[in-house]
Each structure stands twice: as C-alpha cells, then as structure tokens.
Amino acid sequence: FDMMGDIGIKDPAKDDNMVECKEFDKLELLAMEKEVLNTYMTGHPLEEYKSMEGNYSFNFEKLLPLLAQNQADDEGDEEEGDVSIDEDENLEEQEEIEAIKKEYAGKRVKVMGLLEDFTKKQYENKRTHEKNAMGTARLTDKYASVDTLFFSRVYDQFKNILKSDIVVEIEGTLQKKDDDSVSLSANSVKVLSL
C-alpha cells in the first residue's frame, strides 16, 4: 500500500536528482555541537592532539580554582537561605587562589588549545592617538577557557592565521585582570595540524 502514490508526491529518498554532499569534518561537527548545546557531547576538539600534550608543561587545569571562583563571582553573591560555606574551608580556598595568582601572574607560558570566538577590534593608542587593530578570543584546552588578547604588534604579525575554531599553540604571558580573573596576552601563535 503506497499512501503517497495516490496523490503524486514522490518519496525524496528515491529521488535520483539528490546531490551528494561531503561529510563535515570532526572539528566542524564539534563546533556546531557546541554552538547548539553550549558544550561538547560526542568528543573534544583536542582529543586528536593528545599525542602532542607532552610538549606543553602548562595547561589551564592549574588555574581551575581561580577560574571557578571568578565564575561563582559572576553568578552573584550567596542569597539568604542558601547553605553557607564553612569559614575555614573558605579561607583555605582563598589562600589557594591567592597562591595561584602569585605564582602565575606575569608568568610566560606555552599552551595548546582551541581558539574560539575570535574577534577583531579597533582601539586608539592613548599616547599616539593612532587607530590600531587587535584581536580577542577564548583559548580552550581540555580543562577550561581563558580570555586571550592579541595586541596590535602580535595581531599584525599573525592576522592571516587568526580565526575561530582552529587548534593553536600560543606563547604568551598570563595577566591578572582588574576583576581578579586571568587573561593570556599572546606573543606568538602557531596553527597546529596533525
């Protein structure tokens, strides 16, 4: 019994005029997955680069307590009626966070990650009043994401390769921002490929 045959509607699966499309590569699929779900479900873009991890002595796992505190601060202060945190535990966390800030602020690092949300911006140099270009992005490794800045000299040098959704090696300096969060000021960028 063919319900559609009676009214002249063709089954698209049997259409000989369908165009074959190439499959999206894994990075494209993962980027679409993250865009829709706001997280990676079927894998992580850096899984294929696991063999290169040994080349990097730094990753964002070392900053997790600091990044977690900043995220909690962004979500607002504790409301009345919430379970309070033990003061001793809170003091230990604060001491750990202060130690991380002291150890890593101004530290030069080389890190591998996925460049996300790359944006070109214009700013005016306050001293020379020249208009300069710079870039901002989030660099994401397996553990966390950190705001990454490409000031004009670095941006001009690497602008032809800077874009979202590429795996890169960045050498740069960790900076403590005014809000006590951390950013990475890039000095050099290298696109990684397998």
Side-chain angles (χ1 to χ4, degrees):
F1 173 69
D2 185 7
M3 286 180 28
M4 299 303 183
D6 296 341
I7 58 174
I9 298 176
K10 294 171 78 176
D11 181 2
K14 295 179 182 175
D15 189 359
D16 293 331
N17 295 326
M18 289 187 70
V19 177
E20 278 290 319
C21 296
K22 75 174 186 97
E23 180 71 28
F24 291 108
D25 71 27
K26 187 169 184 168
L27 276 181
E28 289 173 308
L29 286 171
L30 289 169
M32 289 186 278
E33 180 177 274
K34 174 106 187 245
E35 183 178 342
V36 172
L37 301 173
N38 203 28
T39 189
Y40 297 111
M41 297 294 290
T42 61
H44 193 282
L46 298 178
E47 282 176 353
E48 295 181 23
Y49 295 83
K50 191 173 181 98
S51 64
M52 300 172 107
E53 286 178 352
N55 299 337
Y56 304 95
S57 60
F58 184 82
N59 60 50
F60 296 143
E61 180 180 31
K62 296 172 179 159
L63 302 176
L64 280 177
L66 177 60
L67 297 171
Q69 179 204 32
N70 291 332
Q71 183 177 3
D73 289 347
D74 289 346
E75 292 171 1
D77 294 333
E78 212 176 325
E79 295 181 22
E80 276 187 55
D82 285 351
V83 176
S84 62
I85 297 174
D86 180 11
E87 285 187 31
D88 290 338
E89 193 175 304
N90 195 17
L91 183 60
E92 286 177 20
E93 285 178 16
Q94 288 302 320
E95 288 173 354
E96 180 183 17
I97 288 167
E98 289 305 317
I100 291 169
K101 287 179 193 176
K102 189 175 182 178
E103 181 178 355
Y104 291 110
K107 183 173 181 165
R108 291 185 55 91
V109 297
K110 185 193 293 189
V111 63
M112 172 180 68
L114 178 70
L115 206 59
E116 298 179 304
D117 304 325
F118 179 80
T119 307
K120 175 185 172 183
K121 297 185 176 197
Q122 293 286 330
Y123 72 97
E124 183 175 332
N125 184 316
K126 292 184 189 320
R127 190 172 46 85
T128 64
H129 301 289
E130 292 177 351
K131 297 249 186 245
N132 293 312
M134 69 174 287
T136 62
R138 299 222 18 104
L139 185 66
T140 302
D141 69 7
K142 293 186 329 186
Y143 305 101
S145 297
V146 171
D147 290 332
T148 304
L149 306 171
F150 304 90
F151 289 108
S152 60
R153 179 188 57 78
V154 175
Y155 175 79
D156 288 341
Q157 185 177 355
F158 297 102
K159 65 185 171 189
N160 294 332
I161 62 171
L162 291 172
K163 63 182 180 177
S164 292
D165 301 322
I166 57 172
V167 177
V168 294
E169 168 187 292
I170 293 183
E171 288 187 56
T173 305
L174 291 171
Q175 305 289 335
K176 184 174 90 57
K177 300 192 306 190
D178 292 338
D179 64 357
D180 274 348
S181 63
V182 175
S183 66
L184 178 63
S185 177
N187 296 323
S188 69
V189 182
K190 177 181 171 186
V191 176
L192 298 178
S193 58
L194 296 173

